[in-house]
Amino acid sequence: MDKAATEMMAEESHRQDSANLLIFIMLLTLTILTIWLFKHQRFRFLHETGLAMIYGLLVGVILRFGVHVPQSMSDVMLSCAVNASPATLLVNVSGRFYEYTLRGEVSQGKGHQVQDDEMLRKVTFDPEVFFNILLPPIIFHAGYSLKRRHFFRNIGSILAYAFMGTVISCFVIGLIMYGFVWFMKLVGQLDGDFYFTDCLFFGAIISATDPVTVLAIFNELKVDVDLYALLFGESVLNDAVAIVLSSSIVAYQPAGDNSHSFEAMAMLKSFGIFLGVFSGSLALGVATGVMTALISLHKFFTKLRDFSLLETALFFLMSWSTFLLAEACGFTGVVAVLFCGITQAHYTYNNLSPESQDRTKQLFELLHFLAENFIFSYMGLTLFSFQSHVFNPLFIIGAFVAVFLGRAANIYPLSFLLNLGRKNKIGANLQHVMMFAGLRGAMAFALAIRDTETYARQMMFSTTLLIVFFTVWICGGGTTPMLSFMSIPSAVLGGSQWRNTKHESAWPFRIWYNFDHNYLKPLLTHSGPPLTATLPSCCGPLARCLTSPQAYELHDDDSDFILNDANVSSMYADVTVSTDASGSHTVNRNRSSTNSTGGGLCDEGLDHELGLAEHEVAIRGTRLVLPMDDPVEPPTTVTLPPPPSPPHSDPRRHRL
C-alpha cells in the first residue's frame, strides 16, 4: 500500500471517529435540553437517565439498520489457516512484517458485513474507559457531596444494608440463577458453559443498586429524610461492596483440575481476599485524603490559595490519582476514591480558598452529571451496537425473578432485625419503597461490560442491559405514584426536623466525633479548637507546633459542611446585641454551657453541627438587632434573606 493510500485511510478514520464522538455530544445536548423542558413542566415520570437511554436506543437503531458503509472487500482476506485466535498477529508479506490486532469474532455468514461491523465497533468503547475515566467522578462526587448528618444518624442500618444485604442478595440471586441454568441445560437451551461461580458473579454485579432516578424525585418532593439517607447510603456503599465481591468470586480457585467445584478452603481464601481488598482500598483512600489535607496546610499550598485555578487543578488531579493508585496497587479504585471523597469533604475542603471550594463543588458536580448521562446514553446505544449479544428467554425470566427475590431477602429480614434496636423504626411503607427503589444502573453495567469474552459473560451483559432498562423506566417512572400510594410523608423543616442529634446518633459515632473534633480537625484543618486547648498542658510545645495559626482565629464549632446552593443557611456567633429605642443595649449570650466542661462542649458541638441542614456554611459574626418599630417587642431573628436597608423614616427591624 503506497503512502498516499495510507494517508487517505488515516484521514477517513479520523473523520469517522470525529463523527462518532459528535453522536455522543449530540445525545448529551438533547438530553440536557429535554431535562430543562421536563423540569419546566414538572414532569416526574421519566428521569434524565431514562431519557438518555431512550435517545441512545434511537441512535443505536439508526446506526444498526439505517447506516451502511459502502462495501469494499478488495483488501479483506476471508480465510487464513490458523488454528487459534491470537491477540496479536504478525504477517510476513514479501519480507515485510505487519502487526494485526484481534478485534473480535465475526459471526458466521457475516463476512460481507465487515465494514458495517467496523462502524458499530468504533462506537463501542473500551471497557477500561468506563473504569478509569467515567466511574471515578461519579463515585467521588457521591462521597464528596455526602449529607453526613442523616448518613451518620443511620450509619448502622446503612452498613447492614450495604454489606450484609449485598452479600445476601448475591447468594440468593446466584442460587436461583443456578437453578435456572440447570433447567436450561436439561431442556437444551444452553449453548455454552455456565458454572456456579458464573451465577455468583452475576449475583454480585446485579446487586449493585443505583437509584439515581428515585433519589432525584425524593430530593424534589422532600420526602422523609431517613428514607433518603438509607437509600443513598446503601447505593453509595454497596457499589463498592459489589465490585470487591465480584473480584473475590473471580479469584475463587479450588485445588485440582476442576476449577468450579466447591472447596471450603478456596471459599475462605476468597473471603479473605474480599476483606483484604476492601480494607486496603478503604485505608488507601482515607490515607490519600488525609495526605491532601496535610499538604493543603503546608506553607507552599497556603501561598497557592492566591491562585484558585491552580489550587483547584491540583486538588482535582490528586483526587483522581487516588483511583489510579489503588488500581495500580491491586486494590479497588471505586472504594478508594469513595472514601477519599468523604475524607476530603471533611478535612481538605476546609483548607481551600472560598473560590476553590465553589470551583471543586461545581466541577465534580458537572463531571458527575456528564459522566452519568453519557453512560446511560451509551447503554441504549450498546443494545444495538454490541456485536455479541446473547438473549436467552429462560435466563432473562430467571434473572428478573432472582433480582426481585434477592432484593426482598435484603430489605425485609434486615429491616426486621434493625428495628429491634432502632428508636426510629423503619416502617413497612418505607421498606416497600426501598424494595421498589432498588434500581440497577451505571455500576452494574460497567461490571458486566468489563468482560464479555465467554458465552456466560455475554449472556450476563445482555440480561443486565434489560434489567437496567426495566428498573429505570418502570420502577423509576412509578416512584411518584408509589409514594402517593404508600402515603410517604414529606420532610418537615420545622421543629421536628431539628431534633436532638446527640441522642439519635450511635454511641460509637459520638465517641468518634469527640476525638475528631478535639484532635483530628485541629491537626488537619484550619478550623476546630486549638490543640493547645485540648491536649494536656505537658504537650504545650507540640500542640503549638501542630496547630495552624488560623485555628486561633476561628471558633471551635466552625462548620465543615460543603455549601449547597439549595440549602444555605447562616450560623452566627452566640452574642446577640439588642439596642432599644433609647440607645441602650444589652448583650445576650445564648450558650448554655459557659460553665460546662470540655466534654459538655463537645456534646453540644455535636448537636450544633449535626443538627443543622446538610452542607451549610459558617458565617462567624455578631447578630445586631436594631429595633425601629416597637421597642417593647423582643428582638426576633428573621430566617429570610435580609431586605435592602430601609430609609430612616421607615421603622423596621432587620439583621446585620
Side-chain angles (χ1 to χ4, degrees):
M1 186 179 298
D2 57 2
K3 183 178 180 180
T6 304
E7 291 180 352
M8 290 181 60
M9 290 182 60
E11 182 67 22
E12 180 64 27
S13 178
H14 172 72
R15 285 198 296 266
Q16 186 174 350
D17 292 339
S18 300
N20 293 334
L21 291 177
L22 180 62
I23 291 174
F24 289 102
I25 298 298
M26 294 303 298
L27 281 175
L28 290 177
T29 304
L30 284 174
T31 302
I32 292 173
L33 292 177
T34 315
I35 290 171
W36 171 83
L37 180 63
F38 281 11
K39 289 184 179 295
H40 183 70
Q41 300 294 332
R42 297 185 179 274
F43 186 79
R44 300 191 182 100
F45 294 97
L46 184 63
H47 187 250
E48 58 200 45
T49 54
L51 186 66
M53 293 168 64
I54 293 177
Y55 285 143
L57 279 172
L58 295 177
V59 174
V61 170
I62 294 173
L63 292 179
R64 183 65 180 267
F65 303 107
V67 178
H68 296 283
V69 180
Q71 304 297 324
S72 176
M73 304 297 294
S74 59
D75 57 346
V76 176
M77 183 178 295
L78 297 179
S79 62
C80 182
V82 179
N83 295 327
S85 57
T88 303
L89 189 66
L90 294 179
V91 179
N92 185 353
V93 180
S94 302
R96 303 179 65 179
F97 288 89
Y98 297 90
E99 180 181 357
Y100 292 85
T101 304
L102 179 67
R103 293 293 185 87
E105 182 181 0
V106 179
S107 302
Q108 294 182 358
K110 286 191 175 183
H112 62 284
Q113 298 180 3
V114 174
Q115 280 79 7
D116 288 345
D117 291 346
E118 176 66 18
M119 180 196 65
L120 295 175
R121 194 178 292 116
K122 279 184 174 292
V123 297
T124 304
F125 286 93
D126 189 333
E128 293 303 316
V129 173
F130 290 94
F131 267 81
N132 295 329
I133 297 179
L134 297 178
L135 273 185
I138 295 176
I139 302 300
F140 182 85
H141 178 264
Y144 196 60
S145 62
L146 185 68
K147 298 181 178 181
R148 292 181 296 133
R149 176 187 178 239
H150 300 291
F151 179 85
F152 285 111
R153 195 173 73 179
N154 297 277
I155 185 64
S157 301
I158 291 173
L159 291 177
Y161 287 127
F163 283 86
M164 296 179 60
T166 304
V167 173
I168 291 173
S169 175
C170 169
F171 279 91
V172 169
I173 294 175
L175 289 172
I176 294 175
M177 293 310 302
Y178 188 67
F180 271 88
V181 168
W182 177 83
F183 180 74
M184 290 164 60
K185 289 182 180 178
L186 191 64
V187 298
Q189 294 294 319
L190 199 64
D191 297 331
D193 294 331
F194 211 111
Y195 301 102
F196 180 63
T197 52
D198 295 323
C199 297
L200 286 181
F201 180 82
F202 178 72
I205 65 175
I206 209 63
S207 296
T209 60
D210 187 17
V212 290
T213 304
V214 177
L215 291 177
I217 297 175
F218 282 5
N219 188 47
E220 185 176 353
L221 297 179
K222 305 297 181 184
V223 299
D224 185 84
V225 290
D226 289 330
L227 175 61
Y228 185 94
L230 289 173
L231 273 176
F232 180 79
E234 180 204 4
S235 66
V236 167
L237 292 180
N238 91 328
D239 283 350
V241 175
I243 189 173
V244 179
L245 189 61
S246 62
S247 301
S248 303
I249 294 173
V250 172
Y252 176 80
Q253 290 293 336
D257 297 334
N258 189 359
S259 60
H260 298 280
S261 60
F262 176 78
E263 186 177 285
M265 289 301 299
M267 186 183 69
L268 292 176
K269 182 179 178 181
S270 296
F271 182 71
I273 292 175
F274 171 81
L275 294 180
V277 171
F278 191 92
S279 59
S281 303
L282 187 152
L284 181 61
V286 172
T288 52
V290 170
M291 183 181 66
T292 57
L294 292 173
I295 293 175
S296 63
L297 288 174
H298 195 271
K299 293 181 179 180
F300 165 77
F301 202 90
T302 55
K303 294 180 180 180
L304 193 66
R305 288 164 59 94
D306 298 332
F307 306 94
S308 60
L309 180 61
L310 301 180
E311 185 183 28
T312 304
L314 185 60
F315 180 85
F316 171 77
L317 293 176
M318 293 175 68
S319 303
W320 203 306
S321 62
T322 302
F323 182 90
L324 301 177
L325 177 63
E327 292 290 335
C329 294
F331 296 114
T332 300
V334 170
V335 181
V337 78
L338 170 64
F339 287 96
C340 176
I342 296 175
T343 306
Q344 288 182 335
H346 191 59
Y347 298 115
T348 314
Y349 179 85
N350 299 282
N351 301 333
L352 301 176
S353 63
E355 294 82 3
S356 296
Q357 290 178 349
D358 292 336
R359 283 175 183 264
T360 55
K361 181 178 71 70
Q362 295 170 0
L363 173 63
F364 285 109
E365 186 177 4
L366 174 65
L367 292 177
H368 165 264
F369 173 80
L370 292 178
E372 192 167 58
N373 281 280
F374 181 89
I375 290 179
F376 278 93
S377 299
Y378 185 71
M379 287 185 196
L381 182 65
T382 306
L383 187 62
F384 293 97
S385 65
F386 186 67
Q387 298 295 296
S388 302
H389 277 304
V390 177
F391 294 105
N392 190 302
L394 285 177
F395 190 86
I396 293 172
I397 294 173
F400 276 93
V401 173
V403 167
F404 178 82
L405 296 179
R407 183 67 179 172
N410 174 0
I411 297 299
Y412 296 115
L414 288 181
S415 298
F416 172 77
L417 296 176
L418 291 171
N419 281 336
L420 298 178
R422 281 178 63 102
K423 294 181 180 179
N424 185 20
K425 306 297 183 183
I426 304 174
N429 288 347
L430 296 185
Q431 296 178 35
H432 297 331
V433 173
M434 292 180 65
M435 168 72 188
F436 185 79
L439 278 67
R440 272 59 179 177
M443 180 57 69
F445 173 78
L447 290 173
I449 200 175
R450 198 172 191 181
D451 182 9
T452 56
E453 295 298 326
T454 64
Y455 170 81
R457 297 298 175 87
Q458 292 169 1
M459 187 185 298
M460 293 181 203
F461 174 67
S462 303
T463 306
T464 301
L465 273 181
L466 297 181
I467 293 175
V468 173
F469 290 160
F470 178 85
T471 56
V472 170
W473 287 339
I474 305 301
C475 297
T479 300
T480 303
M482 180 73 172
L483 293 176
S484 301
F485 179 75
M486 292 294 174
S487 301
I488 301 298
S490 299
V492 181
L493 298 180
S496 62
Q497 178 76 0
W498 312 98
R499 293 175 291 184
N500 191 336
T501 313
K502 177 177 67 176
H503 300 290
E504 292 177 359
S505 301
W507 63 267
F509 173 65
R510 295 201 299 270
I511 296 176
W512 161 254
Y513 172 83
N514 292 333
F515 177 76
D516 174 69
H517 180 75
N518 291 329
Y519 304 108
L520 293 183
K521 291 287 289 294
L523 180 64
L524 299 176
T525 68
H526 295 304
S527 62
L531 288 174
T532 53
T534 57
L535 288 177
S537 57
C538 60
C539 302
L542 179 63
R544 286 190 293 271
C545 178
L546 296 178
T547 302
S548 171
Q550 290 85 346
Y552 296 100
E553 304 172 3
L554 298 174
H555 294 269
D556 61 347
D557 54 355
D558 283 355
S559 177
D560 58 358
F561 290 101
I562 297 178
L563 178 64
N564 187 347
D565 296 335
N567 298 315
V568 178
S569 63
S570 299
M571 295 179 299
Y572 294 88
D574 304 295
V575 179
T576 302
V577 181
S578 301
T579 304
D580 57 21
S582 62
S584 62
H585 65 274
T586 59
V587 179
N588 299 324
R589 297 185 179 273
N590 301 324
R591 205 160 193 167
S592 60
S593 58
T594 305
N595 299 324
S596 301
T597 60
L601 289 176
C602 292
D603 288 339
E604 292 187 4
L606 175 60
D607 292 341
H608 180 66
E609 180 170 330
L610 293 181
L612 295 166
E614 294 82 359
H615 308 305
E616 295 171 342
V617 61
I619 303 177
R620 316 312 306 173
T622 301
R623 284 188 298 184
L624 181 61
V625 182
L626 301 179
M628 297 182 182
D629 188 9
D630 186 4
V632 180
E633 184 180 353
T636 58
T637 300
V638 182
T639 57
L640 296 176
S645 299
H648 293 289
S649 59
D650 183 16
R652 198 176 294 265
R653 179 171 300 166
H654 63 279
R655 178 197 297 174
L656 296 180

